Amino acid sequence: MDMEKLDLGKLYKSYYTAKAKPQLIAFETAHYASITGQGDPDGETFARATEALYTVSYGVKGLCKGKEQDFTVPKLEGLWWVDGDPRQALEVPRAEWRWKLLIRMPAYVTIEQVEEARQQAMKKKKELVELGDVRFEELHEGQCVQMLHVGPYATEPETLRQMEDFIHAEGWAYAGLHHEIYLSDSRRVEPAKMKTILRHPVTRREKAEVENGGLLK
């Protein structure tokens, strides 16, 4: 009898869904396989990092399947920033963009399993040196404002402006890195129909002002 795969998309439905308007939602601590880098998302560095991350993630899946804890590898995610104000990213050359790519892991996955999968992958794909950069990651974002973006990545600023208006109108302030979850495969879905969750951690504006010495704009 085949074991039932754990589907994180169904288990954490609120994590992998968003509305077509800004909403406030809270998230608990989650575990990921991750890789950090810098450069144009259309460049080779980004592509190789993505390959390395998926390779290790499927390796973890294989280890878990062997223990009858199989799961479906979920959607790719990314944290994005630039040196300085993260909201000015579009004014910075894409070659200077910094990113941390993430794939969420089930709660039962351990740092030891991610390391084991990484070591196994490095033996099989010695030419993919980026495998050495894959890590186990724990992330707690807490309160976030998010919104579903439909369309090409180039039109994300329109959605981000709606989120920013909501954040300021509701008395919140930015409190973390810009977060994206890629619900669509850009290789198979035409740009106008692509769906991406845009998410940003927030904190109460008064708290942010205190923590920043009253310098928050």
Side-chain angles (χ1 to χ4, degrees):
M1 180 176 180
D2 294 335
M3 73 185 78
E4 183 178 353
K5 291 183 183 179
L6 175 64
D7 188 334
L8 297 184
K10 295 179 179 179
L11 181 62
Y12 302 112
K13 189 173 181 179
S14 63
Y15 184 90
Y16 289 102
T17 59
K19 297 180 179 180
K21 60 181 180 180
Q23 64 178 141
L24 179 69
I25 189 167
F27 297 102
E28 299 179 350
T29 300
H31 297 161
Y32 307 81
S34 74
I35 186 168
T36 303
Q38 179 178 4
D40 190 329
D42 290 327
E44 183 179 358
T45 298
F46 187 90
R48 288 177 64 87
T50 303
E51 181 183 355
L53 182 61
Y54 270 109
T55 298
V56 173
S57 297
Y58 275 98
V60 173
K61 168 185 167 69
L63 293 174
C64 290
K65 185 176 181 179
K67 295 182 177 181
E68 298 188 349
Q69 292 181 315
D70 196 10
F71 64 93
T72 300
V73 174
K75 304 293 185 180
L76 179 68
E77 308 179 38
L79 303 179
W80 296 84
W81 71 98
V82 296
D83 293 331
D85 187 346
R87 283 167 289 173
Q88 303 304 315
L90 296 180
E91 300 175 11
V92 174
R94 290 162 64 95
E96 298 179 20
W97 287 4
R98 296 184 182 275
W99 34 262
K100 177 179 287 185
L101 301 179
L102 307 164
I103 293 180
R104 187 165 180 172
M105 296 284 106
Y108 51 73
V109 168
T110 65
I111 186 173
E112 289 79 13
Q113 286 175 309
V114 172
E115 178 62 18
E116 182 179 352
R118 186 174 73 90
Q119 292 293 339
Q120 290 181 355
M122 290 173 67
K123 293 178 182 178
K124 295 177 181 178
K125 292 188 173 184
K126 295 181 179 180
E127 75 288 352
L128 188 59
V129 295
E130 289 80 3
L131 287 165
D133 297 324
V134 177
R135 297 288 184 269
F136 178 86
E137 181 90 9
E138 185 174 276
L139 179 65
H140 177 74
E141 292 183 301
Q143 294 280 6
C144 295
V145 170
Q146 68 175 22
M147 183 174 171
L148 179 66
H149 172 74
V150 179
Y153 301 133
T155 61
E156 282 187 10
E158 300 171 14
T159 303
L160 292 173
R161 276 192 289 271
Q162 294 182 54
M163 293 172 62
E164 184 170 15
D165 290 344
F166 176 87
I167 288 170
H168 288 303
E170 297 296 321
W172 296 94
Y174 293 98
L177 298 176
H178 173 67
H179 188 168
E180 299 187 349
I181 301 179
Y182 308 103
L183 302 180
S184 303
D185 186 339
S186 60
R187 298 169 299 179
R188 297 182 173 87
V189 180
E190 59 182 276
K193 295 182 179 179
M194 288 198 307
K195 295 181 179 181
T196 308
I197 295 176
L198 305 186
R199 182 176 294 162
H200 212 117
V202 294
T203 187
R204 274 300 174 190
R205 188 173 182 85
E206 313 84 65
K207 181 180 179 181
E209 288 175 339
V210 170
E211 293 175 349
N212 288 276
L215 298 179
L216 186 66
K217 297 181 178 179

